[in-house]
Amino acid sequence: QVHLVESGGGLVQAGGSLRLSCLASGRSFSSYAVGWFRQPPGKERDFVAGISWDSAITYYTDSVKGRFTISRDNAKNMVYLQMNSLKPEDTAVYYCAFSSQYGVPGTGDRWYDTWGQGTQVTVSS
């Protein structure tokens, strides 16, 4: 089955940038959708961005539109989240998630069935 490992988190000042990476194992990766979610301290995990199998469709939550960009490289089994103009409210554990059913991304947790371990992003003011 597909397994996911996130990396690229860290501490950054407000206004700065980070790029998160998600490495997937498994032959089915390139056929299905991937999403990024985040869980701020004390809050529930929420959708951030999603991408279709062929990168033709991307979705973003309103709070990150224009600042974050999701992309994927199927040849490398990689998904990325480029985060620019970071704000303190972006502080969260970020997770990548894989759907074994859908090639088009959804915005809910239940759309996805495989999750990475998460990577911490902290944005200081």
Side-chain angles (χ1 to χ4, degrees), residues 60-79:
Y60 299 93
T61 192
D62 287 345
S63 62
V64 308
K65 288 180 179 177
R67 300 189 298 121
F68 290 10
T69 302
I70 187 171
S71 61
R72 67 191 296 167
D73 184 342
N74 287 345
K76 298 180 179 179
N77 273 21
M78 294 288 290
V79 181

Side-chain angles (χ1 to χ4, degrees), residues 10-16 18 86-92 94 120-125:
L11 176 64
V12 65
Q13 292 185 353
L18 285 173
L86 283 162
K87 305 174 181 179
E89 50 263 45
D90 295 319
T91 295
Y94 283 71
Q120 176 70 49
V121 172
T122 302
V123 184
S124 62
S125 61

